[in-house]
């Protein structure tokens, strides 16, 4: 019974956390081959092994092999390739 109670509580919390906050960065991961980023602040570093994207709170660093910016607009970008690591680098005061 206790296990079921906690599973229901987690499901309720998950429902609350699925709504994105307007104009805040949103990162969606599709397996280890594709990444969608919305509300970015531009590309800070770009090569086939590392891509660093500016965000409102710092930057997002993506590391892997054969990385490629397959689509980019003012509000979103898509990164394809073998993604090994995603790191948040916080800069300045929070």
């Amino acid at each position: 019974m206790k296990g079921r109670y906690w599973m229901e509580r987690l499901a309720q919390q998950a429902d609350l956390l699925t709504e994105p906050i307007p104009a805040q960065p949103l990162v969606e991961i599709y397996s280890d081959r594709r990444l969608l980023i919305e509300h970015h602040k531009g590309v800070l570093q770009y090569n086939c092994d590392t891509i660093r994207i500016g965000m409102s709170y710092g930057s997002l660093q993506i590391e892997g092999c054969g990385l490629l910016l397959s689509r980019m607009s003012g509000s979103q970008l898509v990164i394809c390739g073998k993604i090994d690591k995603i790191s948040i680098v916080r800069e300045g005061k929070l």
Side-chain angles (χ1 to χ4, degrees):
M1 278 303 213
K2 285 185 179 182
R4 183 176 176 177
Y5 169 77
W6 287 110
M7 292 301 288
E8 289 174 2
R9 291 284 309 249
L10 286 173
Q12 290 171 353
Q13 286 181 342
D15 288 341
L16 294 175
L17 299 175
T18 57
E19 291 297 318
I21 301 169
Q24 290 296 314
L26 176 67
V27 179
E28 294 182 14
I29 302 169
Y30 301 95
S31 75
D32 65 342
R33 298 286 177 176
R34 187 168 180 245
L35 183 68
L36 168 70
I37 303 169
E38 293 184 349
H39 307 294
H40 63 88
K41 301 283 186 185
V43 179
L44 305 175
Q45 179 183 357
Y46 179 59
N47 61 51
C48 63
D49 298 324
T50 304
I51 299 176
R52 197 162 58 102
I53 307 298
M55 308 295 258
S56 60
Y57 50 78
S59 63
L60 187 71
Q61 184 164 318
I62 299 98
E63 297 177 32
C65 182
L67 299 178
L68 174 71
L69 280 172
S70 66
R71 188 174 72 215
M72 181 173 174
S73 69
S75 64
Q76 69 175 216
L77 56 86
V78 176
I79 297 172
C80 295
K82 173 112 175 40
I83 299 169
D84 293 325
K85 182 179 178 182
I86 301 170
S87 305
I88 296 173
V89 180
R90 297 204 184 265
E91 299 166 358
K93 294 182 179 180
L94 295 177

